[in-house]
Amino acid sequence: MRTKPLILIPFAIAALALLPAASPQSQVGANLFKQRCQACHSVVPGAASPLAPNLRGIVGRKAAAATFNYSPALKASKITWTKQNLDKFLAAPGKMVPGTRMVIAVTDAKQRTELINYLAGMK
Ligand code: HEC
């Protein structure tokens, strides 16, 4: 009886060793979000911010659909936030939606992909 937990230790170590291999990509997106977006946006379900709309579940959602005082431009945009549209928007928000109050551009395409994949996981 007492030896059983000891037998499991190698398996536990093996499982831990596998974890980091599975997470770097999403970790990159999470870190980028923290650095570039979180000052204004939250992904915590239901968390309201006066600065920017909550981005929980943004992938697949219609633009300007959260509880937030959006710009008339974004409200009128009729965009659905597919991954492709998010990529275009983040590259140059004011170019895709002239008059939007979202002014943060992510010029690096790889960083945009990481961010969008991170957001896609925040359902
Ligand atoms: C300085 C504050 C600020 C930062 C930083 C910021 N945003 Fe925004 N974002 C806004 C505001 C304000 C809006 C609403 C724009 C409007 O109403 O036109 C917005 C809107 C958006 C929308 C559309 C939301 C919707 O409900 O339609 C997305 C997507 C978005 N931001 C993504 C991001 C991402 C990703 C980052 C980080 C790279 C980021 N934002 C950084 C202020 C910010």
Side-chain angles (χ1 to χ4, degrees), residues 36-37 40-41 51 63-64 70-71 81 86 100-102 104 106:
R36 307 280 322 264
C37 320
C40 299
H41 290 282
L51 295 175
Y70 287 100
S71 66
W81 292 126
L86 278 171
T100 181
R101 291 183 197 127
M102 160 74 183
I104 305 300
V106 181

Side-chain angles (χ1 to χ4, degrees), residues 44-100:
V44 177
S49 160
L51 295 175
N54 194 305
L55 293 183
R56 190 86 187 193
I58 191 71
V59 176
R61 194 163 82 195
K62 287 230 150 60
T67 306
F68 181 74
N69 185 18
Y70 287 100
S71 66
L74 197 62
K75 274 197 244 173
S77 73
K78 298 220 161 66
I79 294 166
T80 296
W81 292 126
T82 58
K83 284 186 170 187
Q84 210 178 0
N85 277 337
L86 278 171
D87 188 64
K88 197 172 156 192
F89 183 66
L90 290 176
K95 216 169 149 192
M96 185 177 184
V97 184
T100 181

Side-chain angles (χ1 to χ4, degrees), residues 1-7:
M1 278 303 239
R2 296 196 67 184
T3 53
K4 260 193 186 158
L6 285 175
I7 291 166

